[in-house]
Amino acid sequence: MTGTAAPFAADDYRARMERAARSAAEAGLAGLLVAPGPDLVWLTGYAPTAVTERLTLLVLAPGQDPVLVVPTLEAPDAAKATGAGALTLRDWTDGKDPYAVTAALLDAGGRFGISDNAWAMHLLGLQKALPGTSYASLTDALPMLRAVKDAAELELLAAAGAAADATFEEIRKVPFGGRRESEVAADLAGLLRRFGHAQVDFTIVASGPNGANPHHEVGDRVIERGDMVVLDFGGLKDGYGSDTSRTVHVGEPTDEERRVHDLVRAAQEAGFRAVRPGVPCQEVDRAARAVIADAGYGEYFIHRTGHGIGVTTHEPPYMIEGEEQPLVPGMCFSVEPGVYLPGRFGVRIEDIVTVTEDGGRRLNDTTREMVIVD
C-alpha cells in the first residue's frame, strides 16, 4: 500500500465503518479487528508510513463507536487521516500493554473477524489477554466486505483502467525484438507512472516459451522475431487498482498462434457476456473455460478466470469453479482466460469488468485483436 488515500470524505469512511460493523453482526461476529493494510485504508483512509511490532488496530463492533488503538508516537499521523473524525483514537505508550488497552474494548467471550495480514504476535497477545475470545480471518468471515464499489470507487477504478490502456497504447509502439524482457518491463513501469500510477505492482513480459508461465518473473531473455509476448501489468492510481493483459506478436504470427489467440479472445468475450446480476461467480469461469475446452485446449487453461480488484489488485470475489457468490452491481473483477503451451508460447487477454444493473461494463478498452509489434 502507498500512503496516498483516495479522495473520500470523513462521512464516506463513517458509512463504511458502520456498514462493516453491521455486516459483522449479521455474520454472527462480536466485531472486527483491522490491522494496517488495505482494509484499514478502505475503512479509515489511514496508512501508517511504517508497520512495526507496535500494535495498531481498529476495533469495530455493533453499537459502539469505532476506536483506533495506536502507539502514542504515531497518534499525530493517525489523527490527520481523513477518516479520523469518524472514530476515537486510543493511544498507548511504550512500556504499557497494548493488549490490555484493546481488551477493554472487546467482548471477553466474543468471536471476532481479524485482518488476514494481522501479525501473529498481536493475535496471540489478544488471545492471552482474553482467553475466551476466538477469531476468524476477514477473508473467511466477510469475503465481500469491499467487493461492491460505490460510484466514486467505480470512477477511480475506471480512471486506473484508462491509465493502463494508455500504457498499452504506448508500449505497442516501442521496439520489442532484440531487447530484453526486463527492458520492456521497465518501459511498462515508467508508462504506468507517467499516466498517474503511484504504485506499480507487476509488469509481466513473458516472451516465447516464457509465455507458458502465467506468472513469469521478468528476466534477461532477449525477445526474438517470431515470439508471442504476454504483457500483464498494473498497480495503484489514486489508491485504486489497474490490471490488464494483452498478448502481442513480434512480426507475423503462424496460423496456429493466430488460432490460439482468436480462441482466447472468444473465451474472454464469453466470460464477459456471462456477467450480469444474480449470476454465480463460477458461471463466468465456466463460460470462458467451455470455449477453450471445446476447442481441445482445456488442459492448458491452468488458472481461475478472474479475481476482484479495488484498493488492492487482487481481492474477492474470485471467478472460479465452486464460488457460488452471486454477482452484484458494483462488483469489479478481471476476466482473463489464457492458454499456455509448455515450451512454446502462451496467450492471455484480460479486462477489468464491473457488474451493472443489466450486465457488465469493461473498464479496459484497448483492442483484443492480435497486435503486431516490431
Side-chain angles (χ1 to χ4, degrees), residues 80-153:
K80 295 175 185 176
T82 306
L87 52 77
T88 298
L89 288 178
R90 187 74 55 85
D91 66 312
W92 61 276
T93 57
D94 284 353
K96 302 295 184 181
D97 183 357
Y99 307 113
V101 173
T102 308
L105 305 170
L106 306 182
D107 177 349
R111 181 169 178 79
F112 295 88
I114 189 167
S115 299
D116 296 30
N117 57 334
W119 286 25
M121 65 179 286
H122 295 153
L123 177 57
L124 293 170
L126 289 172
Q127 288 178 319
K128 184 177 180 181
L130 293 173
T133 55
S134 60
Y135 302 87
S137 77
L138 278 187
T139 291
D140 288 339
L142 293 176
M144 296 299 118
L145 179 63
R146 306 193 317 255
V148 178
K149 276 62 180 181
D150 61 25
E153 290 182 293

Side-chain angles (χ1 to χ4, degrees), residues 197-216:
H197 281 62
Q199 177 176 315
V200 176
D201 285 350
F202 47 89
T203 51
I204 294 173
V205 179
S207 62
N210 289 340
N213 176 0
H215 282 175
H216 169 65

Side-chain angles (χ1 to χ4, degrees), residues 9-22 42-43 86:
D11 283 347
D12 296 312
Y13 293 113
R14 179 179 289 106
R16 290 178 185 177
M17 287 188 280
E18 290 173 352
R19 176 155 63 92
R22 287 196 304 272
W42 184 77
L43 287 163

Side-chain angles (χ1 to χ4, degrees), residues 5 45 98 118 135 137 154 169 177 197 221 239 264 275 304 333 351 358:
Y135 302 87
S137 77
L154 290 173
E169 295 295 356
H197 281 62
R221 183 182 185 276
V264 174
V275 175
R304 65 196 175 200
F333 48 84
D351 294 324
D358 57 1

Side-chain angles (χ1 to χ4, degrees), residues 53 65 68 86 105 122 211 227 239 245 248 266 269 275 299 307 312 346:
E53 74 284 354
D65 290 336
L68 182 62
L105 305 170
H122 295 153
D227 277 351
S245 300
V248 302
E269 179 69 17
V275 175
E299 66 183 291
H307 58 81
T312 58

Side-chain angles (χ1 to χ4, degrees), residues 241-263:
S242 68
D243 184 2
T244 189
S245 300
R246 293 292 186 264
T247 303
V248 302
H249 198 277
V250 186
E252 285 299 316
T254 65
D255 288 346
E256 182 190 21
E257 288 170 331
R258 194 175 287 281
R259 185 172 64 251
V260 172
H261 189 280
D262 287 346
L263 173 64

